[in-house]
Structure formats: C-alpha cells, structure tokens
C-alpha cells in the first residue's frame, strides 16, 4: 500500500516550469490541477510534468452552469478532456447544492460510466456549494450509490455545520469509508481553512482532522489499497490577509510542504 502526495496548482504565481521544479524538489509525487481546453497549451503543461517525473491528478471545478442539463453537458466535456490526459485520478467538484437529487444523480451516473470505460478513478469532493456540501445530504447519495467514491475535504463540512462534527460521527465514518483521495486542509467551525495549522490555537481542529485522516489510512492499509493526498491549503480568500494590504498572514507553499512532511512522517515513518 502506497500513499502519494500531490501539490495543488491553485494559488501558484510562478511560471509552470519553475513551479514543477519546486514541487519535485519538495518531494511531491505530482500535481493536482485542471487542464486548459486548448490542445497546444494542454500538451505543453503535460510535457513539463513529464520532464519533472510528476504525476497528474486532473481537477474539475467548472460547475458554473446553473441549468442542470447544461451543467451535465459541460461536465461530460471536461471529464472526457481530462481522461484524454491519462491522469492517475480525476477529482471533481460535482454538481450544485441547489440542484435536486435527480439532477445531481445524473452527474454521478455519468462520471461512473466514464470511469468504468476509461479505467481512470473519479472521486467527488465534499465541497461547499456542490452536491456533497453537507454530511446529511451526502449520506443520501452514499446510501443509494454503493460505488460512489469521494475526495474527503472534510474542512468544508466543519464550516457548513459550524462544528468539528462531534454530533455526526456515524455520517463522517460513512464518508471515510468512501474516501479514495484526501485534501488535507484543516478547517474549523467558522471557516474552511485555519490561518496556520502549526499555530497552537488550532490544536483541537488539527487533532480532529488527523483522526479522520488516520481512519482513511487505516482502511486503505487494511485493504492494501493505495491512497492519494493533496495538501490543499489555498491562497486568498482562503488564506486570511491583512486589511487593505491583501498581504497573506502565512505562506501557502510553506504550509503545504509542512503538511506533506507531517503526514509522510505520520503514515510512512
């Protein structure tokens, strides 16, 4: 059983070549990112990843269409586009929190079909504003879709439920049993990202997230199944900034590398 770590492209301001060099030097296995639809641009990015021996997790977040049918068509287009790049995994911010059950169900069914046809795993992220935005809503999909696999970004649920989910342990455990990918961002009751997980005031939030991730790792080890982790602390507005200056109060890159090394030591000593 292997655990591989991926850096988020989200928040990067460096040329892609330099970014990939930093990712490789830091000890990541790859990058989680979207791909431009324009072929020349896409191929150039894929070539740079290959040059640095970095794997790709394809990222879908473009669920902008408010009409369910248009959203489904766009979803299929982007998923096929990512499948064409042969990533190790595709992670999706699927659907909308205001779509009805059947409309979001169509998206899950489409992703399942494309995953089976291509052989590329597709996970669905527990993300605010999307179809798995809350624990009780996600539970309904879990109970009716036994093959549904997720990216556990439980920081969002902490924010949505304004708690560390102490009163929803059963649903959290169900989500953990479906997790094949982790976004290791630490959230809290009033937001999806603490300002710095190294700060002692976030000890309780950090401990809660580590316990959840520990359970995912234990399940994967028991089933001899590989696991992927994206250290997805983000930039502004996830990262708090000083008023007027927009100066971030912590360094996104340093935090993500810290999280990777912390989890490598915890799970691969």
């Amino acid at each position: 059983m292997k655990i591989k770590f991926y850096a988020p492209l989200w928040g990067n301001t460096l040329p892609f070549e330099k970014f990939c060099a930093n990712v490789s030097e830091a000890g990541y296995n790859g990058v989680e990112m979207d791909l431009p639809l324009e072929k020349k641009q896409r191929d150039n990015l894929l070539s740079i990843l290959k040059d640095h021996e970095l794997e790709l997790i394809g990222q879908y977040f473009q669920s902008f269409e408010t009409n369910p049918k248009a959203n489904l068509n766009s979803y299929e287009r982007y998923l096929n586009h990512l499948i064409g790049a042969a990533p190790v995994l595709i992670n999706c911010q699927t659907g909308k929190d205001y779509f009805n059950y059947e409309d979001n169900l169509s998206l899950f069914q489409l992703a399942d079909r494309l995953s089976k046809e291509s052989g590329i795993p597709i996970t669905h992220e527990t993300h605010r504003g999307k179809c798995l935005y809350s624990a009780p809503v996600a539970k309904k999909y879990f109970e009716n879709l036994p093959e549904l696999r997720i990216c556990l970004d439980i920081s969002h649920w902490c924010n949505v439920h304004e708690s560390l989910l102490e009163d929803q342990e059963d649903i959290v455990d169900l989500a953990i049993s479906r997790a094949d990918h982790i976004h290791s961002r630490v959230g809290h009751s009033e937001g999806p990202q603490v300002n710095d997980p190294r700060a002692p005031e976030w000890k309780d939030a950090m401990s809660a997230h580590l316990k959840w991730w520990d359970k995912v790792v234990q399940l994967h080890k028991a089933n001899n199944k590989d696991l992927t982790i994206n250290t997805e602390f983000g930039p502004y507005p996830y990262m708090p900034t000083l008023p007027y200056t927009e100066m971030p109060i912590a360094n996104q890159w340093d935090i993500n590398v810290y999280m990777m090394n912390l989890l490598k030591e915890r799970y691969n000593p």
Side-chain angles (χ1 to χ4, degrees), residues 55-146:
E55 297 177 348
L56 169 69
I57 289 180
Q59 185 177 46
Y60 170 82
F61 58 83
Q62 298 91 346
S63 55
F64 304 135
E65 298 82 8
T66 58
N67 175 272
K69 178 61 176 175
N71 192 284
L72 180 69
N73 291 337
S74 177
Y75 191 60
E76 184 171 17
R77 179 190 185 198
Y78 273 100
L79 288 186
N80 278 319
H81 176 63
L82 291 171
I83 286 169
V88 298
L89 172 75
I90 295 173
N91 180 51
C92 299
Q93 294 180 15
T94 301
K96 293 285 191 181
D97 55 2
Y98 54 81
F99 285 176
N100 64 36
Y101 176 83
E102 288 74 20
D103 289 333
N104 280 323
L105 182 63
S106 295
L107 294 162
F108 287 131
Q109 291 170 336
L110 171 63
D112 183 60
R113 175 175 63 80
L114 293 177
S115 178
K116 288 175 177 175
E117 290 174 355
S118 66
I120 295 172
I122 297 177
T123 58
H124 305 274
E125 189 172 340
T126 55
H127 198 292
R128 289 169 302 145
K130 313 303 179 182
C131 59
L132 300 181
Y133 71 95
S134 75
V137 169
K139 181 183 179 183
K140 184 176 180 180
Y141 290 104
F142 294 153
E143 290 176 342
N144 288 286
L145 297 170

Side-chain angles (χ1 to χ4, degrees), residues 185-205:
R185 186 174 60 250
V186 177
H188 58 105
S189 60
E190 303 303 334
Q193 179 171 300
V194 300
N195 52 29
D196 192 328
R198 299 166 292 191
E201 57 266 32
W202 298 117
K203 179 181 177 182
D204 289 346

Side-chain angles (χ1 to χ4, degrees), residues 13-27:
T13 58
L14 298 173
F16 191 66
E17 173 80 40
K18 176 60 176 173
F19 169 73
C20 286
N22 290 346
V23 168
S24 180
E25 184 179 358

Side-chain angles (χ1 to χ4, degrees), residues 1-261:
M1 180 264 186
K2 296 179 181 178
I3 301 177
K4 292 185 177 181
F5 291 85
Y6 297 78
L9 181 63
W10 178 38
N12 173 59
T13 58
L14 298 173
F16 191 66
E17 173 80 40
K18 176 60 176 173
F19 169 73
C20 286
N22 290 346
V23 168
S24 180
E25 184 179 358
Y28 284 100
N29 298 99
V31 177
E32 183 169 329
M33 57 186 285
D34 65 319
L35 289 173
L37 293 172
E38 201 278 320
K39 184 178 185 302
K40 185 176 180 180
Q41 294 179 17
R42 181 203 67 182
D43 290 349
N44 181 55
L45 295 177
L46 294 175
S47 177
I48 293 171
L49 286 171
K50 185 177 180 180
D51 288 345
H52 291 277
E53 299 182 341
L54 293 172
E55 297 177 348
L56 169 69
I57 289 180
Q59 185 177 46
Y60 170 82
F61 58 83
Q62 298 91 346
S63 55
F64 304 135
E65 298 82 8
T66 58
N67 175 272
K69 178 61 176 175
N71 192 284
L72 180 69
N73 291 337
S74 177
Y75 191 60
E76 184 171 17
R77 179 190 185 198
Y78 273 100
L79 288 186
N80 278 319
H81 176 63
L82 291 171
I83 286 169
V88 298
L89 172 75
I90 295 173
N91 180 51
C92 299
Q93 294 180 15
T94 301
K96 293 285 191 181
D97 55 2
Y98 54 81
F99 285 176
N100 64 36
Y101 176 83
E102 288 74 20
D103 289 333
N104 280 323
L105 182 63
S106 295
L107 294 162
F108 287 131
Q109 291 170 336
L110 171 63
D112 183 60
R113 175 175 63 80
L114 293 177
S115 178
K116 288 175 177 175
E117 290 174 355
S118 66
I120 295 172
I122 297 177
T123 58
H124 305 274
E125 189 172 340
T126 55
H127 198 292
R128 289 169 302 145
K130 313 303 179 182
C131 59
L132 300 181
Y133 71 95
S134 75
V137 169
K139 181 183 179 183
K140 184 176 180 180
Y141 290 104
F142 294 153
E143 290 176 342
N144 288 286
L145 297 170
E147 296 184 356
L148 180 63
R149 308 302 296 181
I150 68 167
C151 165
L152 185 70
D153 190 340
I154 203 165
S155 65
H156 289 285
W157 284 3
C158 293
N159 189 193
V160 167
H161 296 294
E162 203 172 17
S163 71
L164 292 178
L165 307 171
E166 301 92 341
D167 55 349
Q168 300 192 74
E169 187 174 349
D170 290 347
I171 304 178
V172 170
D173 283 342
L174 180 57
I176 285 169
S177 74
R178 299 299 188 92
D180 285 339
H181 184 44
I182 291 173
H183 279 182
S184 63
R185 186 174 60 250
V186 177
H188 58 105
S189 60
E190 303 303 334
Q193 179 171 300
V194 300
N195 52 29
D196 192 328
R198 299 166 292 191
E201 57 266 32
W202 298 117
K203 179 181 177 182
D204 289 346
M206 186 70 163
S207 177
H209 285 71
L210 286 170
K211 288 178 181 177
W212 293 321
W213 302 333
D214 287 350
K215 289 184 177 181
V216 177
V217 171
Q218 288 163 6
L219 281 174
H220 278 251
K221 285 185 175 180
N223 293 305
N224 195 27
K225 187 176 182 181
D226 293 346
L227 178 66
T228 53
I229 299 176
N230 174 6
T231 57
E232 208 210 23
F233 273 77
Y236 174 83
Y238 274 66
M239 175 67 71
T241 59
L242 295 173
Y244 305 103
T245 67
E246 296 187 8
M247 180 73 69
I249 64 173
N251 185 291
Q252 178 198 6
W253 173 261
D254 288 349
I255 287 174
N256 281 327
V257 172
Y258 165 79
M259 290 300 299
M260 176 186 64
N261 289 328

